[in-house]
């Protein structure tokens, strides 16, 4: 009865030993595979140098190219308003008519005074001429001759005074017709016929504004202005032409069709804000731009002929907030590169330090790899907007 038990026990032990051996053989193969980690496929782009036009977006407001407040030069009762509010007017166009009766009378009086003075000059000149001949033969005294000469000069001075008075009366009469000093669009009238006006009154009768072209006043920090000047002086940036070109974004985000130019830079820094005012001029033929509108000016700073751009998805931040890019090096391993970024250009970073031309920057699959790990680099399939900087911002 004991033999069957022994045979069965021996068979079970042999079977257990065989299974353990097979299990040990099965585990030996994966260990060998784990000794060489598999390379992860990542999408990369090769960075290089290119010419890029750098822009700065600055907030600002529009202001008229010329503005003139219309005020009366003489007092009187307003008779007529001779323009339509909101219409375009020409320089010299009559806008208002002031009652001219009083000034017409003064003009006629001054004209008569001049005629009287001219008549007195004729008499005095003839007398002085005769006395010049008589005094040489002692027919008249020298005193009478001197008196005649003095009288002639006096009446000649009266003529000059009468002419000046006549010119003043003529100017005052002309001022009763209030004209536009500039061409432009006129606003609403603050006076109506029948109003009593005074010369050089504080309240303007109307305002004329020239809207084509039109100014756009923007502000830029003095720090940015100094940086721009340093880059231009060092040759890092090159500016084409004499004056920088400016594009405009309207309040609703749409782009203004006309391109402007930078015309003026303020010579004083605002102490309260640390900003400098820049003035650009834009053509405004359809008068789409109105004074006081909020706009954003895209100011062309210059061209960086050796710029290096990296898509934003290829740049991460470390614990200190510094920019870092993952690069596949020549050995096929991932390497972390600290970067120095200056600004964004479209959807890309402008990198000034940390990369060199030909480096393969990982832009797809960054989350799958770590520094030191092997990686298999393939060209990244970026969207058109991310593949390159906007055409308007790239040089030839």
């Amino acid at each position: 009865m004991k033999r069957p038990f022994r045979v069965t026990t021996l068979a079970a032990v042999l079977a257990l030993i065989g299974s353990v051996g097979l299990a040990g053989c099965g585990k030996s193969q994966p260990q060998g595979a784990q000794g060489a980690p598999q390379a992860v496929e990542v999408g990369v782009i090769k960075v290089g140098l290119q010419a890029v036009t750098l822009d700065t977006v600055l907030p600002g407001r529009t202001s008229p190219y010329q503005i003139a407040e219309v005020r009366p030069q003489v007092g009187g009762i307003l008779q007529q308003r001779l323009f339509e509010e909101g219409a375009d007017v020409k320089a010299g166009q009559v806008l208002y008519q002031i009652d001219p009766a009083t000034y017409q009378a003064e003009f006629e009086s001054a004209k008569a005074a001049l005629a009287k003075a001219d008549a007195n000059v004729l008499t005095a000149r003839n007398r002085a001429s005769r006395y010049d001949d008589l005094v040489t033969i002692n027919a008249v005294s020298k005193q009478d001759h001197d008196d005649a000469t003095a009288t002639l000069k006096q009446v000649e001075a009266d003529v000059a005074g009468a002419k000046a008075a006549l010119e003043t009366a003529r100017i005052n009469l002309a001022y009763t017709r209030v004209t536009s000093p500039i061409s432009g669009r006129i606003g609403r009238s603050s006076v109506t016929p029948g109003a009593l006006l005074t010369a050089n009154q504080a309240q303007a009768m109307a305002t004329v504004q020239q809207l084509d072209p039109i100014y756009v006043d923007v502000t830029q920090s003095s720090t940015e202005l100094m940086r721009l000047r340093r880059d231009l002086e060092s040759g890092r940036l090159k500016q084409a032409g004499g004056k920088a070109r400016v594009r405009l974004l309207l309040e609703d985000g749409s782009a203004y069709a006309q391109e402007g130019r930078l015309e003026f830079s303020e010579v004083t820094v605002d102490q309260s804000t640390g900003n400098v005012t820049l003035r650009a001029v834009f053509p405004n033929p359809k008068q789409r731009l109105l004074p006081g509108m909020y706009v954003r000016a895209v100011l062309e700073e210059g061209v960086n002929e050796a710029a290096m751009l990296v898509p934003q998805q290829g740049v991460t931040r470390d614990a200190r907030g510094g920019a870092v890019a993952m690069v596949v090096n020549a050995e096929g391993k991932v390497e972390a590169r600290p970067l120095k970024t200056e600004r964004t250009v479209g959807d890309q970073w402008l990198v000034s330090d940390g990369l060199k031309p030909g480096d393969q920057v990982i832009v797809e699959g960054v989350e799958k790899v770590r520094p030191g790990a092997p990686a298999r680099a393939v060209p990244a399939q970026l969207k058109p907007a991310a593949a390159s900087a906007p055409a308007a911002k790239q040089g030839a």
Side-chain angles (χ1 to χ4, degrees):
M1 297 295 294
K2 291 183 179 179
R3 282 183 181 176
F5 175 76
R6 289 179 180 177
V7 173
T8 304
T9 304
L10 180 60
V13 171
L14 292 175
L16 178 61
I17 294 172
S19 63
V20 171
L22 291 174
C25 294
K27 289 182 180 179
S28 62
Q29 292 178 355
Q31 286 179 355
Q34 288 180 359
Q38 294 290 333
V40 178
E41 183 178 294
V42 292
V44 301
I45 64 164
K46 286 187 178 182
V47 296
L49 301 180
Q50 57 183 309
V52 177
T53 300
L54 301 181
D55 296 333
T56 298
V57 180
L58 302 173
R61 290 197 180 272
T62 57
S63 60
Y65 190 76
Q66 290 188 86
I67 182 170
E69 294 182 337
V70 180
R71 288 183 173 86
Q73 299 296 303
V74 294
I77 301 298
L78 180 62
Q79 284 186 332
Q80 288 181 291
R81 173 170 65 85
L82 303 172
F83 68 91
E84 182 180 349
E85 294 176 321
D88 291 330
V89 296
K90 300 293 185 181
Q93 179 178 334
V94 179
L95 305 177
Y96 297 96
Q97 177 64 61
I98 300 173
D99 185 4
T102 303
Y103 300 99
Q104 183 67 44
E106 291 178 355
F107 176 76
E108 297 298 336
S109 176
K111 187 187 295 184
L114 176 60
K116 181 180 178 180
D118 284 337
N120 291 334
V121 167
L122 180 60
T123 302
R125 183 177 292 115
N126 292 335
R127 178 179 295 178
S129 178
R130 287 195 298 269
Y131 278 26
D132 287 342
D133 296 334
L134 295 175
V135 74
T136 57
I137 59 175
N138 295 323
V140 295
S141 65
K142 291 183 178 181
Q143 183 62 48
D144 290 339
H145 174 263
D146 293 342
D147 290 343
T149 302
T151 300
L152 175 60
K153 292 181 178 180
Q154 181 178 356
V155 295
E156 287 177 344
D158 291 341
V159 170
K163 287 182 178 180
L166 178 63
E167 181 63 16
T168 300
R170 186 195 65 78
I171 292 174
N172 288 337
L173 179 60
Y175 278 156
T176 61
R177 295 166 62 86
V178 182
T179 60
S180 175
I182 62 173
S183 297
R185 178 165 292 185
I186 193 167
R188 63 183 179 86
S189 175
S190 63
V191 294
T192 58
L196 176 63
L197 306 176
T198 57
N200 303 314
Q201 63 186 30
Q203 182 186 18
M205 303 167 71
T207 301
V208 182
Q209 301 179 89
Q210 181 181 346
L211 304 182
D212 183 24
I214 194 168
Y215 284 130
V216 174
D217 295 328
V218 298
T219 56
Q220 184 180 40
S221 70
S222 57
T223 304
E224 288 296 318
L225 189 61
M226 288 189 293
R227 179 193 60 78
L228 175 59
R229 287 178 176 173
R230 284 197 301 267
D231 290 345
L232 290 173
E233 291 172 357
S234 64
R236 190 165 176 267
L237 284 181
K238 294 184 179 180
Q239 206 168 58
K243 296 180 180 179
R245 295 178 298 175
V246 187
R247 291 176 285 112
L248 210 59
L249 301 177
L250 303 181
E251 291 176 310
D252 60 357
S254 62
Y256 183 61
Q258 302 285 339
E259 188 179 81
R261 67 183 186 278
L262 188 63
E263 192 74 14
F264 166 80
S265 175
E266 185 59 80
V267 296
T268 305
V269 178
D270 190 328
Q271 297 182 4
S272 59
T273 62
N275 291 335
V276 179
T277 299
L278 308 177
R279 169 165 281 184
V281 179
F282 280 83
N284 191 26
K286 297 182 180 179
Q287 298 187 358
R288 186 180 177 186
L289 300 177
L290 299 177
M293 289 178 62
Y294 173 79
V295 294
R296 288 178 295 156
V298 183
L299 177 64
E300 182 182 288
E301 291 185 355
V303 178
N304 187 339
E305 296 184 342
M308 184 174 291
L309 299 178
V310 177
Q312 291 185 13
Q313 63 264 44
V315 178
T316 58
R317 298 285 171 177
D318 58 19
R320 297 183 179 181
V324 178
M326 294 296 183
V327 177
V328 179
N329 60 22
E331 299 175 356
K333 294 185 178 181
V334 178
E335 180 182 341
R337 295 277 187 86
L339 305 180
K340 182 179 180 182
T341 57
E342 294 188 4
R343 59 191 296 174
T344 58
V345 179
D347 61 348
Q348 304 185 79
W349 283 107
L350 176 62
V351 177
S352 59
D353 191 20
L355 295 174
K356 60 182 181 297
D359 281 343
Q360 300 184 99
V361 178
I362 301 175
V363 294
E364 293 178 349
V366 179
E367 68 282 355
K368 301 178 183 178
V369 295
R370 293 188 178 184
R376 185 165 61 89
V378 297
Q381 301 297 324
L382 298 179
K383 296 180 180 180
S388 61
K393 295 190 177 185
Q394 290 211 8

